[in-house]
Amino acid sequence: MNNFPWNRFATAYENNSKHLKDCFIKMYEGKADEQDYQYVIDRLEHQATLYRVSPWGLKFYFYLLSTNKANNSNILQHINVLVEAAMFHKQEDSKPSKKDLEKYEELKSILLDSDFDGNLDNETLKTLKTIDCQFIYLSIMDLIGQNIQLLESFIQNKDVSVAERASKLLEHIRNPKLCCIREEETLNVQSKVLVVNEMSFTPLNNNGISTLYCITDEGYYKITKGEMDEKVYMELNDPSNGEYFDTDFFEYNISNGSLSIYVNENRPWNAGIYQHIKLLFSPLEQNDFNELKLTIENLFLDITVRKLLLDI
């Protein structure tokens, strides 16, 4: 970890990756807090750096698991996130070219080397900069295959959280389709997963309307609501499918790359095709993501709450 050229992985989104090194060192020393762990996975998962940094971050995760010095529960959860990201790339990306596969074979011997000392020469770094995104799927799954016995060893761990996360991770590895549902969305209703090709959103336009519009592999998905409206409008693929719902009908989970809108399983409500929709989209820059979150808040903010806020 000390020898790894972190500064060579700077991007438009991350001017300096050195803090990643500092966080990994703190994990190894048992000094990392939750913010350090979150900082690392946020950057390893980010699409702007994903296929270049993630494989090496995953390699360091496995090293930390083998030393048993870090928070194993957090690390297993992070590995699960990277597997999820790899599956997402496998679903949306085309097959890698012969040339890219040849490049990957050059890197594979280094990536899977158990004696890797962290050093990467200029030729290797040059190859990393030109390799296709599909590298993320190949590298992650190859590293998983190499370390599957290590992961299996945590299933019987005395720490219940570690054992549960190891079991879930292995379940996702063996059943890739399960990666379509995150931990916080373990609902009885199967989610309808839509891969978003284009997305536009407006927190509030001049007419007081909030809008989310997505072009997906299946068609489109639209949500709109007026600032003082008591109902939110949803439309999926065809105007004839359009329906109005009370704003408190739905709950949602949002992260930078995923948005789920669903009816809680404990509510005896039937929203038909809108019962549980999950959108998978390319991670946004932070300002755009903040605007998306504000849009979702406006779409599902209860009118009573809005009136109270206006009166304050």
Side-chain angles (χ1 to χ4, degrees):
M1 289 183 280
N2 273 314
N3 296 332
F4 192 73
W6 298 100
N7 62 317
R8 299 293 294 272
F9 290 84
T11 71
Y13 301 97
E14 290 293 328
N15 293 326
N16 193 334
S17 302
K18 181 180 178 298
H19 192 51
L20 280 174
K21 169 188 172 181
D22 296 336
C23 289
F24 270 113
I25 296 298
K26 288 170 73 175
M27 290 180 195
Y28 177 74
E29 294 175 345
K31 299 177 181 178
D33 58 24
E34 290 299 319
Q35 288 185 335
D36 294 321
Y37 281 95
Q38 193 61 46
Y39 181 93
V40 170
I41 191 58
D42 283 347
R43 277 137 190 89
L44 294 186
E45 188 188 15
H46 199 291
Q47 224 171 16
T49 60
L50 186 62
Y51 59 99
R52 293 178 182 173
V53 176
S54 285
W56 311 100
L58 179 60
K59 188 172 181 68
F60 293 137
Y61 275 151
F62 280 125
Y63 172 71
L64 290 171
L65 283 178
S66 69
T67 64
N68 209 33
K69 291 184 176 182
N71 185 320
N72 291 334
S73 180
N74 280 351
I75 290 176
L76 288 166
Q77 172 61 14
H78 292 184
I79 293 175
N80 194 41
V81 170
L82 293 180
V83 169
E84 214 173 83
M87 297 301 177
F88 174 71
H89 273 272
K90 186 191 179 187
Q91 290 171 8
E92 72 166 7
D93 290 346
S94 57
K95 292 183 179 180
S97 66
K98 182 179 179 181
K99 187 175 181 180
D100 279 330
L101 286 173
E102 290 175 353
K103 289 180 181 179
Y104 178 56
E105 287 302 317
E106 295 176 15
L107 295 170
K108 189 175 178 179
S109 59
I110 302 173
L111 187 63
L112 301 185
D113 184 0
S114 58
D115 295 321
F116 175 61
D117 62 3
N119 288 300
L120 295 176
D121 59 33
N122 288 331
E123 284 302 312
T124 302
L125 287 166
K126 183 179 178 181
T127 301
L128 273 170
K129 288 183 177 180
T130 58
I131 202 163
D132 187 80
C133 286
Q134 188 68 3
F135 170 58
I136 183 63
Y137 175 72
L138 296 173
S139 58
I140 281 182
M141 299 320 294
D142 280 338
L143 280 167
I144 291 290
Q146 184 187 52
N147 292 277
I148 199 72
Q149 290 184 339
L150 175 62
L151 294 176
E152 290 174 340
S153 69
F154 287 97
I155 295 178
Q156 302 299 327
N157 196 278
K158 293 180 180 179
D159 186 321
V160 175
S161 175
V162 170
E164 288 180 349
R165 287 187 168 177
S167 297
K168 178 174 279 293
L169 171 57
L170 288 164
E171 188 178 14
H172 280 179
I173 292 168
R174 292 162 181 157
N175 302 282
K177 290 183 179 180
L178 293 177
C179 285
C180 291
I181 303 177
R182 290 180 183 265
E183 282 188 354
E184 67 269 25
E185 299 162 3
T186 52
L187 308 179
N188 289 335
V189 180
Q190 179 69 37
S191 62
K192 181 176 182 60
V193 181
L194 300 175
V195 177
V196 177
N197 298 320
E198 296 180 32
M199 179 168 59
S200 61
F201 41 87
T202 306
L204 202 66
N205 66 16
N206 293 333
N207 296 318
I209 304 295
S210 302
T211 305
L212 172 68
Y213 185 81
C214 302
I215 298 177
T216 72
D217 283 355
E218 297 183 15
Y220 70 89
Y221 178 50
K222 178 173 71 174
I223 312 176
T224 62
K225 188 175 79 69
E227 186 176 15
M228 302 304 291
D229 289 349
E230 296 183 356
K231 293 183 181 293
V232 60
Y233 176 77
M234 294 185 176
E235 188 176 303
L236 182 65
N237 300 332
D238 192 295
S240 64
N241 292 329
E243 288 191 54
Y244 286 92
F245 298 94
D246 289 336
T247 51
D248 63 352
F249 212 84
F250 296 93
E251 296 180 18
Y252 64 87
N253 284 311
I254 185 169
S255 64
N256 201 352
S258 173
L259 169 63
S260 284
I261 300 170
Y262 58 90
V263 177
N264 189 291
E265 63 177 340
N266 296 318
R267 305 267 189 169
W269 299 337
N270 182 9
I273 59 176
Y274 302 104
Q275 190 78 7
H276 185 180
I277 289 181
K278 177 171 183 174
L279 302 171
L280 297 177
F281 56 91
S282 298
L284 306 170
E285 293 188 39
Q286 191 59 50
N287 288 341
D288 291 333
F289 181 52
N290 290 340
E291 192 167 282
L292 173 60
K293 289 194 292 184
L294 180 58
T295 300
I296 300 304
E297 288 173 6
N298 288 346
L299 286 168
F300 295 100
L301 185 63
D302 184 85
I303 184 63
T304 305
V305 176
R306 179 173 290 281
K307 287 178 178 177
L308 287 173
L309 291 174
L310 290 173
D311 289 339
I312 294 175

